[in-house]
Amino acid sequence: MSERPTILEQEHEDFRATARAFLERAVVPFHAQWEAEGIVPREVWREAGKQGLLCFDVEEQYGGPGIKDFRYNMVLAEEAARVGASGPGFAVHTDIIVPYISSLGTEEQKQRWLPGLVSGELISAIAMTEPGTGSDLQGIRTSAVDKGDHYVLNGSKTFISNGILADLVIVACRTDPDAGHQGMSLLVVERGMAGFERGRNLDKMGLHAQDTAELSFTDVHVPKTNLLGEEGSGFISLMMNLPQERISIACIAVATIESVLDMCLAYAKEREAFGKPIGKFQHNRFLLAEMATEAHIARVFVNDCVLRLNAGTVDTSLASMAKWWTTELQKRTVDAGVQLHGGYGYMSEYPISKAYTDSRIQTIYGGTTEIQKEIIGRMLGL
């Protein structure tokens, strides 16, 4: 098969070797246990920090390497997908949450939080979704009332990735209930603040090792020094950062598609039926031909998105296109992979089974497929 299209340089491949060695040593042998326990130990985060696998874009003065190149993020997604390491929520932390603090934080906030986020001592989460509000961010009800030097925060959030482990939670809330999207702000709630409580670690279809929690806020006193960005600018800040989140999800999708293609090819060559490898049957040969073609298209598309993200030219519409198309393809690909594996595909110890259940969330979080199409439709002037 022809080599996969690449936009990587030697330094990215060197980084891949580091990431692969870390995963093989510190993650793969323990992942099944973490799946059973529903959580990843904190020391894995600290070890990832030591290896330079967190927060690549954080500037050197705050303890990071200061590398603003999303190709590193993409390589880590590929290596995690290759071994089915869906437990550690590193991508959520590095690609999605920490950039809010890097881009919106005051000097004092950056000095206070970024070094710990880079080292893995501090784990982050972002709390947007509420029990009654999913992709419709303008419908959030969590409120923060200005009390002079602090806010009093009340509300609840759900489906929060890293929710159990998180030391810092960026909470989207209403600081002005009558101002529509201009009444939304971002507050950083810290572990141990009175009135901040975590509910159960949610029991999910897939991603069993990644902690996902309900969070509740009851009269939490959040100091004004924990307001992230300007009061009332929260919705705009979320809109600015969502394209990178969606391209991060697309990177995971393509990495998974390629990984599933590899495992299906290997299986089709070794598994025999009626006296020959199942890959010799025309149906399976055509299926794998289609998978390989679509994987190639998806890779070219996401490579282009990552280069545009690096250049600062990704628009909301393109990120939405990448997010919905690659994740829907991922869903189709893993489904076809299970079918190809037959009864073995339904067994949890086979990687294709885990890929199937882990993949199902991809078309839902980060804004559903339907929301992405709505965004693209509006950008088309419809």
Side-chain angles (χ1 to χ4, degrees):
M1 202 167 90
S2 61
E3 279 198 19
R4 286 175 177 145
T6 187
I7 51 170
L8 303 178
E9 314 286 344
Q10 186 56 48
E11 58 263 30
H12 303 107
E13 294 302 341
D14 294 343
F15 173 74
R16 184 190 300 282
T18 302
R20 185 171 292 189
F22 166 79
L23 290 165
E24 295 287 359
R25 182 186 80 253
V27 175
V28 172
F30 313 105
H31 206 279
Q33 182 189 340
W34 301 341
E35 298 240 328
E37 294 168 354
I39 201 158
V40 170
R42 294 185 72 92
E43 49 267 31
V44 180
W45 283 80
R46 290 192 286 269
E47 182 62 24
K50 277 198 193 107
Q51 296 295 320
L53 299 177
L54 303 174
C55 312
F56 320 116
D57 60 347
V58 170
E59 292 165 15
E60 290 181 35
Q61 70 213 71
Y62 308 114
I67 300 167
K68 291 181 168 47
D69 179 353
F70 206 76
R71 288 177 290 182
Y72 289 95
N73 309 57
M74 184 170 78
V75 166
L76 190 56
E78 288 167 17
E79 288 305 306
R82 195 179 66 82
V83 293
S86 56
F90 300 155
V92 179
H93 179 81
T94 296
D95 302 5
I96 297 169
I97 302 160
V98 175
Y100 283 95
I101 293 170
S102 300
S103 62
L104 300 171
T106 62
E107 185 58 32
E108 184 273 332
Q109 288 171 337
K110 290 182 193 176
Q111 288 182 1
R112 183 153 49 117
W113 293 323
L114 287 175
L117 292 164
V118 172
S119 71
E121 293 293 330
L122 295 178
I123 298 170
S124 65
I126 188 161
M128 293 188 254
T129 302
E130 297 185 358
T133 307
S135 295
D136 176 19
L137 287 176
Q138 296 197 49
I140 68 167
R141 293 189 177 156
T142 298
S143 66
V145 179
D146 190 335
K147 295 291 186 182
D149 65 343
H150 68 276
Y151 294 96
V152 175
L153 181 69
N154 281 284
S156 59
K157 300 286 183 178
T158 194
F159 310 143
I160 307 307
S161 301
N162 296 346
I164 299 291
L165 286 171
D167 304 290
L168 301 178
V169 183
I170 300 174
V171 181
C173 56
R174 294 211 161 278
T175 41
D176 183 344
D178 305 317
H181 74 266
Q182 293 176 326
M184 192 185 296
S185 301
L186 302 178
L187 294 180
V188 180
V189 174
E190 300 181 63
R191 175 183 289 280
M193 284 184 171
F196 167 35
E197 292 184 13
R198 297 157 213 263
R200 61 204 172 97
N201 190 352
L202 298 169
D203 185 12
K204 308 183 294 297
M205 178 194 292
L207 303 182
H208 291 272
Q210 192 181 114
D211 57 306
T212 308
E214 300 168 322
L215 307 178
S216 68
F217 309 96
T218 309
D219 294 331
V220 182
H221 286 218
V222 183
K224 282 278 178 76
T225 49
N226 282 29
L227 173 67
L228 198 57
E230 299 291 316
E231 184 178 298
S233 68
F235 187 78
I236 301 298
S237 299
L238 292 171
M239 292 304 105
M240 297 278 287
N241 278 284
L242 278 170
Q244 177 159 306
E245 174 175 347
R246 286 165 181 164
I247 287 169
S248 170
I249 292 169
C251 287
I252 293 166
V254 175
T256 304
I257 289 163
E258 291 174 342
S259 171
V260 166
L261 171 61
D262 290 343
M263 66 176 83
C264 286
L265 277 171
Y267 188 77
K269 288 171 183 174
E270 70 191 29
R271 171 77 169 158
E272 293 203 349
F274 305 104
K276 60 182 178 180
I278 62 169
K280 295 294 184 189
F281 292 97
Q282 188 188 58
H283 170 80
N284 293 335
R285 207 161 59 237
F286 281 16
L287 174 75
L288 288 159
E290 288 172 17
M291 267 192 199
T293 305
E294 288 173 328
H296 187 98
I297 294 165
R299 170 56 66 192
V300 171
F301 183 15
V302 166
N303 283 354
D304 180 58
C305 288
V306 167
L307 290 179
R308 288 174 187 244
L309 187 65
N310 279 354
T313 58
V314 164
D315 64 19
T316 307
S317 178
L318 184 71
S320 289
M321 289 177 183
K323 199 274 177 186
W324 88 257
W325 191 82
T326 57
T327 58
E328 291 290 346
L329 178 61
Q330 177 184 355
K331 203 165 73 172
R332 281 205 318 276
T333 303
V334 293
D335 185 59
V338 169
Q339 189 71 21
L340 181 81
H341 280 72
Y344 292 107
Y346 201 65
M347 299 298 114
S348 293
E349 67 262 30
Y350 269 69
I352 188 67
S353 172
K354 183 175 174 313
Y356 181 85
T357 50
D358 282 351
S359 290
R360 190 59 191 83
I361 189 59
Q362 283 273 95
T363 61
I364 297 170
Y365 61 17
T368 62
T369 292
E370 294 74 19
I371 289 290
Q372 305 311 321
K373 291 178 180 177
E374 187 65 34
I375 290 166
I376 297 160
R378 287 180 188 174
M379 303 288 274
L380 291 171
L382 300 171

